[in-house]
Amino acid sequence: MLKGLVLACAGFALFLVIHIPLFRLRVSEFRFRTMVRIAFALGILLLVAYLATPSDLGFLPAASTTAGWAVDLLNGLLVFAFLFVGYCMFYFLIDRGFSGRIMIEVEASPHRRLPPAEIAARYSLEMVLRRRLGEMLEIGRITVRDGRYCNTKKGRWSVAMFAFVKKFLQLGEGG
Amino acid sequence: MRGLVAGMLAFGMYFLVQAAVFHVVKVPRRALVLVGLWLAGLPVYVWLYGWLPDDRSVWPSPLVAPSDLTTFFCGGLLYFFLFMGYAQFFYIAESSVGVRTMIELASDPEKGLTLEELTKRYHYDWMLERRLRRLVHAGYLIEENGYYRTTGRGWLAAAALRWFKQFLRLGPGG
């Protein structure tokens, strides 16, 4: 089972090695899409590397090579996929976290303290909504018709699912 | 497969219990309940791993893994990762401005809404107050005479977030 784990960790490390310089060198509007494409390509590379390398990778102990190839590969792919999902959580927290932005605005203020009205002035509802609408346009959840925002078919499906989850788990209107 | 199956079953049980609890009780401290139930599921994972038969008696040879520490660890890792993925989904459903926006847009599916109309439907005071209350509760901010300032933890979090934003060139974000 170690081969799959080692390759998954190496694949994720490679993802970071590619993604970080790419984001630092080139400002892309479609950052998340870029991340998904890199991860997908590396997932395929992981599959190929698994099939092309020996079961001990040349350095693993013999005792760790007794698992069946399918379960080892499945485990490796799962670990790689979940490491990516975990990194996405971290990425969204940094990039889109509203609470994080509040703390940064408070820290950046001259006296390092702000009333709610000033926080709202520094990061208005219109700015919040513009950013979210832009992101949802990018991923095809909404569309613009005559200056009006409407849900696409994909968006309507998402609304139905999230509305159900919110209601079932009693999460309130949220947002 | 024993570890992976035990991890998946343990998560399945966690998911059902968590969904039932949130459906029946209006939970005020959601993160605490989500994590608490997941931790309570750890002994269930251990029990399931012990209860499941050895792979050799059930699965074809490509799917057989030895019942050792690595297999046990991999199953536990799956239980952890599935929880992390679910937590992400849960908080998107609970707090996402994007999801809330789409729900507002669904109120007039034919015509849709302009940015101005959306702004009117969204109560920013409520949205901001909710975040501030959470940050105070979690020990990141302190409220003094109507002003908010960061605690030591808040300062550290703000500095780390600002550094990562700059490092990845993500802009101010939020």
Side-chain angles (χ1 to χ4, degrees), chain B residues 49-63:
Chain B
Y49 184 84
W51 177 72
L52 286 168
D54 191 80
D55 281 1
R56 276 168 296 189
S57 60
V58 188
W59 300 95
S61 61
L63 290 171

Side-chain angles (χ1 to χ4, degrees), chain B residues 33-50:
Chain B
V33 176
L34 270 183
V35 176
L37 286 174
W38 180 79
L39 288 172
L42 278 172
V44 177
Y45 166 69
V46 176
W47 176 77
L48 278 166
Y49 184 84

Side-chain angles (χ1 to χ4, degrees), chain A residues 55-102:
Chain A
S55 59
D56 64 352
L57 291 172
F59 63 91
L60 294 173
S64 71
T65 61
T66 52
W69 69 268
V71 69
D72 195 13
L73 177 61
L74 175 69
N75 188 53
L77 287 173
L78 280 173
V79 169
F80 176 74
F82 280 115
L83 281 173
F84 175 66
V85 170
Y87 182 75
C88 287
M89 272 177 90
F90 174 71
Y91 170 81
F92 286 131
L93 180 78
I94 296 167
D95 186 38
R96 301 181 190 181
F98 190 15
S99 301
R101 175 75 186 260
I102 291 171

Side-chain angles (χ1 to χ4, degrees), chain B residues 8-23:
Chain B
M8 260 186 282
L9 285 176
F11 178 76
M13 285 182 182
Y14 161 79
F15 175 77
L16 292 176
V17 171
Q18 175 274 144
V21 168
F22 276 81
H23 184 63

Side-chain angles (χ1 to χ4, degrees), chain B:
Chain B
M1 288 300 283
R2 188 179 180 186
L4 296 183
V5 173
M8 260 186 282
L9 285 176
F11 178 76
M13 285 182 182
Y14 161 79
F15 175 77
L16 292 176
V17 171
Q18 175 274 144
V21 168
F22 276 81
H23 184 63
V24 174
V25 185
K26 193 158 172 50
V27 180
R29 297 184 69 181
R30 292 175 184 140
L32 197 73
V33 176
L34 270 183
V35 176
L37 286 174
W38 180 79
L39 288 172
L42 278 172
V44 177
Y45 166 69
V46 176
W47 176 77
L48 278 166
Y49 184 84
W51 177 72
L52 286 168
D54 191 80
D55 281 1
R56 276 168 296 189
S57 60
V58 188
W59 300 95
S61 61
L63 290 171
V64 170
S67 295
D68 58 10
L69 205 61
T70 312
T71 303
F72 178 76
F73 171 75
C74 287
L77 203 60
L78 182 66
Y79 178 57
F80 169 73
F81 277 144
L82 284 170
F83 168 70
M84 293 301 281
Y86 177 69
Q88 191 171 5
F89 173 80
F90 182 93
Y91 280 106
I92 288 173
E94 198 235 11
S95 301
S96 167
V97 178
V99 167
R100 170 75 189 276
T101 306
M102 284 196 295
I103 291 173
E104 294 294 347
L105 291 179
S107 62
D108 198 342
E110 295 307 314
K111 271 173 66 189
L113 297 169
T114 62
L115 181 62
E116 199 184 353
E117 286 165 342
L118 257 176
T119 313
K120 279 181 192 158
R121 282 166 178 259
Y122 226 122
H123 303 291
Y124 194 49
D125 293 348
W126 175 85
M127 184 177 154
L128 188 61
E129 194 192 305
R130 187 163 169 248
R131 259 81 178 178
L132 289 169
R133 210 172 44 234
R134 279 185 176 185
L135 287 168
V136 169
H137 191 76
Y140 290 100
L141 289 181
I142 291 175
E143 199 227 325
E144 284 169 348
N145 306 319
Y147 280 78
Y148 288 89
R149 69 173 174 84
T150 53
T151 60
R153 191 197 283 193
W155 171 82
L156 197 68
L161 287 171
R162 195 171 43 230
W163 185 83
F164 276 114
K165 275 176 189 283
Q166 282 172 356
F167 183 68
L168 294 174
R169 301 181 71 193
L170 299 178

Side-chain angles (χ1 to χ4, degrees), chain A residues 8-161:
Chain A
C9 294
F12 182 68
L14 194 59
F15 166 78
L16 293 178
V17 166
I18 296 169
H19 140 75
I20 292 171
L22 201 68
F23 274 36
R24 281 184 62 76
L25 296 172
R26 188 173 142 258
V27 178
S28 167
E29 277 184 53
F30 308 110
R31 295 190 193 105
F32 183 60
R33 194 183 293 177
T34 307
M35 279 166 60
V36 172
R37 284 180 180 170
I38 298 169
F40 185 73
L42 287 172
I44 292 170
L45 189 69
L46 174 70
L47 191 75
V48 174
Y50 188 91
L51 299 173
T53 51
S55 59
D56 64 352
L57 291 172
F59 63 91
L60 294 173
S64 71
T65 61
T66 52
W69 69 268
V71 69
D72 195 13
L73 177 61
L74 175 69
N75 188 53
L77 287 173
L78 280 173
V79 169
F80 176 74
F82 280 115
L83 281 173
F84 175 66
V85 170
Y87 182 75
C88 287
M89 272 177 90
F90 174 71
Y91 170 81
F92 286 131
L93 180 78
I94 296 167
D95 186 38
R96 301 181 190 181
F98 190 15
S99 301
R101 175 75 186 260
I102 291 171
M103 287 191 290
I104 290 171
E105 292 297 343
V106 170
E107 268 302 305
S109 64
H111 301 288
R112 295 175 61 203
R113 60 191 200 121
L114 288 175
E118 271 190 53
I119 298 171
R122 283 160 187 257
Y123 193 41
S124 69
L125 177 60
E126 197 178 313
M127 285 158 82
V128 177
L129 288 179
R130 267 190 199 286
R131 181 140 201 256
R132 297 310 192 275
L133 290 166
E135 286 159 2
M136 287 187 296
L137 277 167
E138 182 196 323
I139 57 170
R141 292 287 192 282
I142 61 169
T143 184
V144 188
R145 282 201 301 257
D146 305 322
R148 304 180 77 85
Y149 295 97
C150 307
N151 288 320
T152 59
K153 195 178 168 187
K154 211 181 220 202
R156 284 196 293 274
W157 188 88
S158 298
V159 166
M161 180 190 64

